[in-house]
Amino acid sequence: MGSSKKKSRTQIVKEILDHQASYHGDDAPKVSDYDYDMLVQQLYAIDKKHGIPIKDTEKVLGVGYQIKKEFREIMHVKPMLSLENVFDTNGLDLFFSRVTDYLKKENVTEEITYTAEVKLDGVALSVRYINGKFISAATRGDGAVGEDVTQNVIGMTGIPDVLNTNDGLIGLKEFEVRGEVVFLKKDFFAFNEQQRKVSAKVFSNSRNAAAGSLRQLDSSKTSSRPLTFFAHGAVDNGNKLKLFAPSHSSFLLEAKKFGFLIPEPRVEGLGTDSIYSFLKKINETRETLPFDIDGVVIKLDSFSQQELLGSTVRAPRYAIAFKFPSQVVKTLVKGIDIQVGRFGTLTPVARLEPADIGGVIVSNATLHNEDELKKKDVRPGDIVEIRRAGDVIPEVIKVVPTESCKKKRGQKFKMPTICPVCSGITERVDGESALRCVNGKECPAQFEQALIHFVSKKAMNIDGLGAKVVKQLIDEKLLVCVSDIFKLNYSSISSLERFGNKSAKKLIDSIDDSRTTSFEKLLFSLGIRHVGLETAKSICKKIERFEDLFSITEERLLEINDVGPIVIKSFLNFFRDSNNQKDVKNLLEEVVFENPYAPSKVIKKNFCTEKSFIFTGVLKKLKRIEAENLVVEHGGRVVTSVTKNTDFCIYGESPGSKLKKANDAMIKVMSEDEFLQKFNE
Ligand code: IVH
């Protein structure tokens, strides 16, 4: 926010609406949640001072944003509301006393207890079931009408196709659960890493990634992203909910039995003191949770008491969000460095005056790429806001305009035109926001990163060869090409700094252990752009000797599902390079393959074997996962988007666009029954 000048109401409202458009509309907020919340608080304060009724303030704020018009609409059975926020214990005390006063007035004599649970930082979703079967899903949209994302969420972790209930949902033919779609931190990190590798959009935090991934027009894109849904409430259709759960805490336990994931950690049915201890505990341990949270939600537990309090146009009166202080800090930019990645990508990184964010000392923060740097216009000497988002890499959010900084700002930072490490030429690939050094492994930075990848866990898995040791061995000229790793011996390393007899022996042992490997591991370890472990596996199924890769043809590669022109181009470029060929030949002298001809698994052969399948719509007889397992058990593959290499499309109820695409591509289409019938043939 920075500016000390008082803003007018009109200006504040305009800013709030702009930020809502960026956050809800574009999934790309321009300010931190904290700054947005503070603007909203300013509006409440101004309106209170001028006697503007709260319901008018809330009307301005709304609960979301108009939906993307490309989506079909789903009208919510009951509005999807937002929550009122408090930022300190005073605010929470006020909430507790408001609830108590209200219930007293209503002559409530029973005990007043609360449930408190983590506030997941994701995207709100409403999921409908009829007679226990998944029917549709919608985003919050503007609160009244949401975006139809039914196809996108089929099969998502935490959204059962069929509810796990033997005795039926007592009186609940229709059942609507509300909750949050999130990226677990581990999934978000892996996803961003993958995006970075293929120079695709890298998300600044898990919430934006979840929103961007959920609101895809192509449902196969959403399905390919590891999202998770947590249920935190349900729509009460005329008191029926109370039949099987009298309180929020008991509802959550029922929802868990049905097959939903529910917010954890949580405390249930407690008085206010215990709620405060819970808040303290969560604030101290939030870093260790598997997902990002932006606070704790405190809810009156009893459904009858909730009903008495009711809701405003924007939020229920029986619940409140306690927002934790934001993990954003300000610090000084001492300089901007350029890091060169494994594939030559030049990443600008701000060198910072060390700052403490949530207990972690941060002295570097990424500026992502040239476009981001230009947009944020960060310069040495600036004060910036930084945050540690879901990603472990801290990032610069924006420059904080200060008076002194305005006067003596440094020069606008220019990205180098040559590689800062090897002075090689850089190029900007069409459609990508990254500059890339074209020197490949000739560039010392890329060579070092290639070695770090080669020895990493999923690659050759050489224990004791971390990034620091790799750098040390390069500096000592012991590693000049990749295969030199296998030339290291006890006497060459035991005398090095930081090595002792024991650690040298351990390293040599683990290098020796890694010599026995598989085709796919070695291929993946070579670090060819776009060739991940799965692609490496598929390619290796096509060869009998590793050397066959030197002469494999484009046509043969095209036969492999999910291997497209980008992968093939990168693959062929690598193997056509004479230096790479020499490197690989040297490596082949050092390694031994586990019996490459042994079939990896015993499979029952049938019409599925070596064929690829796509599923669309809601299956009636099988759960989606059961159908997919059937295919895999018989040696087939399940894919998430229709390509010319897809062999079968199996459709259930309300199939999505994949069915049409499959028909258009002349792919064999089968109903669920026809598919099951074929197993008896
Ligand atoms: S209860 C009427 N519980 O936070 C809305 N909401 O900022 C009642 N959220 O719209 C919501 N975790 O999408 C509830 N444990 C939780 C939550 C949660 C995240 C979201 C929800 C809500 C938003 C308000």
Side-chain angles (χ1 to χ4, degrees):
M1 309 231 286
S3 162
S4 54
K5 262 198 214 148
K6 274 235 167 84
K7 289 175 185 163
S8 69
R9 183 177 192 277
T10 323
Q11 210 173 350
I12 291 175
V13 169
K14 185 181 173 307
E15 281 185 26
I16 287 175
L17 297 183
D18 279 354
H19 292 321
Q20 286 185 349
S22 317
Y23 184 91
H24 295 294
D26 308 335
D27 302 323
K30 295 203 180 93
V31 291
S32 67
D33 285 4
Y34 181 78
D35 281 354
Y36 173 78
D37 288 340
M38 290 305 119
L39 266 180
V40 171
Q41 294 308 305
Q42 276 185 44
L43 182 67
Y44 273 120
I46 291 179
D47 286 4
K48 191 171 175 194
K49 197 166 146 198
H50 292 91
I52 297 173
I54 266 205
K55 70 174 191 322
D56 290 347
T57 316
E58 295 194 326
K59 254 191 215 148
V60 170
L61 294 170
V63 295
Y65 196 66
Q66 71 233 39
I67 66 176
K68 270 194 195 165
K69 46 186 183 312
E70 297 88 341
F71 281 101
R72 277 198 304 215
E73 295 180 358
I74 288 187
M75 176 88 138
H76 296 305
V77 174
K78 288 248 171 112
M80 278 182 86
L81 300 181
S82 186
L83 283 170
E84 200 188 312
N85 294 324
V86 290
F87 302 90
D88 50 30
T89 49
N90 288 343
L92 190 56
D93 282 340
L94 272 174
F95 167 75
F96 285 140
S97 44
R98 210 172 63 201
V99 171
T100 314
D101 291 351
Y102 207 100
L103 292 178
K104 260 193 197 146
K105 255 192 240 148
E106 297 285 335
N107 300 321
V108 171
T109 50
E110 296 103 62
E111 202 188 354
I112 302 172
T113 61
Y114 296 90
T115 289
E117 64 206 27
V118 280
K119 184 170 185 309
L120 300 140
D121 199 5
V123 200
L125 186 77
S126 195
V127 189
R128 291 193 78 203
Y129 288 82
I130 292 189
N131 293 327
K133 278 184 65 179
F134 170 79
I135 288 299
S136 64
T139 63
R140 180 163 59 183
D142 64 4
V145 177
E147 293 151 332
D148 182 349
V149 287
T150 307
Q151 293 302 321
N152 299 20
V153 308
I154 292 173
M156 184 180 290
T157 305
I159 302 191
D161 285 343
V162 179
L163 298 184
N164 179 19
T165 156
N166 295 330
D167 45 354
L169 290 165
I170 321 138
L172 278 179
K173 182 173 175 296
E174 292 179 20
F175 182 57
E176 190 163 337
V177 170
R178 289 186 173 168
E180 213 71 6
V181 173
V182 299
F183 249 110
L184 299 184
K185 284 180 192 166
K186 70 172 174 35
D187 293 335
F188 170 63
F189 182 55
F191 169 69
N192 248 359
E193 194 53 43
Q194 185 55 32
Q195 293 285 98
R196 206 169 282 128
K197 271 188 201 155
V198 298
S199 300
K201 183 182 165 100
V202 170
F203 289 91
S204 57
N205 63 48
S206 65
R207 187 263 160 205
N208 297 348
S213 300
L214 177 66
R215 301 170 72 216
Q216 288 283 342
L217 294 171
D218 176 357
S219 59
S220 65
K221 282 223 174 112
T222 306
S223 327
S224 69
R225 300 193 180 173
L227 296 166
T228 305
F229 175 77
F230 288 87
H232 54 57
V235 175
D236 188 5
N237 260 339
N239 269 340
K240 287 183 188 143
L241 196 57
K242 274 194 283 180
L243 287 174
F244 79 99
S247 63
H248 177 68
S249 52
S250 56
F251 158 74
L252 286 180
L253 295 179
E254 289 302 317
K256 193 171 176 178
K257 282 189 214 153
F258 291 165
F260 293 104
L261 299 170
I262 56 173
E264 306 275 1
R266 196 176 69 247
V267 282
E268 297 167 355
L270 294 176
T272 54
D273 285 351
S274 315
I275 300 291
Y276 281 119
S277 334
F278 179 70
L279 285 177
K280 190 165 175 294
K281 190 179 119 204
I282 297 297
N283 194 22
E284 282 163 6
T285 53
R286 62 188 287 201
E287 285 290 309
T288 62
L289 295 174
F291 34 64
D292 284 311
I293 62 167
D294 58 341
V296 164
V297 186
I298 298 120
K299 301 169 185 177
L300 192 54
D301 201 28
S302 147
F303 280 155
S304 331
Q305 292 179 5
Q306 284 192 2
E307 243 168 57
L308 288 173
L309 274 127
S311 303
T312 69
V313 284
R314 185 166 185 264
R317 291 193 194 89
Y318 52 78
I320 199 104
F322 185 96
K323 291 283 206 82
F324 289 133
S326 139
Q327 294 200 306
V328 170
V329 299
K330 296 186 176 79
T331 189
L332 173 80
V333 177
K334 296 208 292 198
I336 295 177
D337 300 330
I338 299 293
Q339 276 177 5
V340 183
R342 179 150 65 98
F343 300 117
T345 306
L346 270 51
T347 306
V349 175
R351 199 165 4 97
L352 305 166
E353 184 66 45
D356 180 336
I357 320 184
V360 179
I361 303 297
V362 170
S363 42
N364 290 302
T366 182
L367 286 152
H368 297 296
N369 53 47
E370 190 177 11
D371 287 353
E372 281 288 310
L373 177 61
K374 266 192 193 146
K375 209 160 72 191
K376 291 179 180 157
D377 186 19
V378 177
R379 306 182 194 187
D382 282 349
I383 299 290
V384 287
E385 271 185 4
I386 55 167
R387 94 176 122 212
R388 262 175 23 99
D391 207 335
V392 290
I393 305 166
E395 64 159 356
V396 174
I397 308 168
K398 61 170 184 169
V399 173
V400 182
T402 58
E403 280 311 313
S404 62
C405 162
K406 252 185 231 161
K407 276 182 219 141
K408 50 172 191 229
R409 273 192 99 191
Q411 292 279 308
K412 215 178 174 85
F413 184 81
K414 270 209 185 111
M415 285 293 281
T417 45
I418 55 166
C419 170
V421 178
C422 71
S423 305
I425 291 168
T426 59
E427 61 177 25
R428 189 172 162 136
V429 182
D430 272 355
E432 291 182 11
S433 35
L435 271 183
R436 199 183 303 284
C437 160
V438 297
N439 253 353
K441 285 212 257 332
E442 300 290 306
C443 167
Q446 293 182 59
F447 175 62
E448 185 179 328
Q449 293 301 321
L451 277 178
I452 292 171
H453 168 75
F454 185 83
V455 300
S456 64
K457 228 179 178 54
K458 279 195 192 145
M460 298 302 279
N461 189 18
I462 304 182
D463 232 12
L465 252 190
K468 267 195 189 146
V469 180
V470 167
K471 182 159 185 351
Q472 187 184 7
L473 296 174
I474 294 176
D475 291 346
E476 296 286 343
K477 309 256 179 315
L478 289 170
L479 299 180
V480 180
C481 64
V482 182
S483 57
D484 285 347
I485 289 177
F486 297 105
K487 305 251 164 19
L488 292 172
N489 57 43
Y490 176 76
S491 60
S492 63
I493 49 174
S494 58
S495 54
L496 295 178
E497 215 183 307
R498 289 203 304 262
F499 272 98
N501 296 348
K502 228 170 145 188
S503 53
K505 182 170 179 328
K506 230 172 131 188
L507 178 55
I508 297 302
D509 283 350
S510 54
I511 292 174
D512 277 341
D513 286 348
S514 75
R515 287 177 195 269
T516 308
T517 186
S518 60
F519 284 4
E520 64 232 32
K521 256 195 174 180
L522 184 64
L523 176 56
F524 171 66
S525 307
L526 296 178
I528 305 170
R529 197 154 175 239
H530 305 304
V531 179
L533 199 50
E534 285 309 310
T535 309
K537 259 186 210 161
S538 316
I539 295 177
C540 288
K541 281 189 188 141
K542 294 273 171 192
I543 54 167
E544 289 189 354
R545 300 170 322 133
F546 198 84
E547 291 83 339
D548 294 345
L549 292 176
F550 290 107
S551 52
I552 195 164
T553 61
E554 189 170 347
E555 289 70 40
R556 188 107 175 98
L557 290 168
L558 269 170
E559 289 165 14
I560 306 168
N561 283 330
D562 287 349
V563 167
I566 296 178
V567 177
I568 294 178
K569 188 170 167 218
S570 163
F571 181 90
L572 293 176
N573 277 347
F574 180 91
F575 276 100
R576 278 178 193 150
D577 180 296
S578 58
N579 282 335
N580 289 336
Q581 285 183 9
K582 210 165 87 198
D583 263 359
V584 176
K585 278 181 188 150
N586 286 338
L587 280 171
L588 290 176
E589 309 234 313
E590 303 290 348
V591 300
V592 214
F593 293 112
E594 289 155 341
N595 180 5
Y597 306 109
S600 53
K601 243 196 269 163
V602 181
I603 52 165
K604 302 165 227 162
K605 288 198 172 179
N606 75 350
F607 75 103
C608 298
T609 316
E610 294 198 279
K611 297 282 186 260
S612 78
F613 287 73
I614 191 148
F615 289 87
T616 175
V618 184
L619 301 185
K620 281 186 284 187
K621 307 230 163 100
L622 295 177
K623 281 191 180 168
R624 174 67 74 92
I625 186 76
E626 290 171 338
E628 291 182 352
N629 279 342
L630 266 179
V631 168
V632 175
E633 276 163 20
H634 291 85
R637 287 165 27 82
V638 178
V639 294
T640 49
S641 52
V642 178
T643 69
K644 63 179 178 3
N645 294 320
T646 313
D647 297 296
F648 294 99
C649 171
I650 314 299
Y651 63 90
E653 230 169 54
S654 340
S657 59
K658 287 174 196 162
L659 180 60
K660 184 175 178 312
K661 274 193 200 148
N663 273 321
D664 292 348
M666 314 277 277
I667 287 162
K668 174 99 182 95
V669 159
M670 280 192 254
S671 68
E672 182 186 4
D673 283 339
E674 286 166 335
F675 169 69
L676 288 174
Q677 185 55 40
K678 275 197 87 78
F679 284 87
N680 300 327
E681 282 172 14

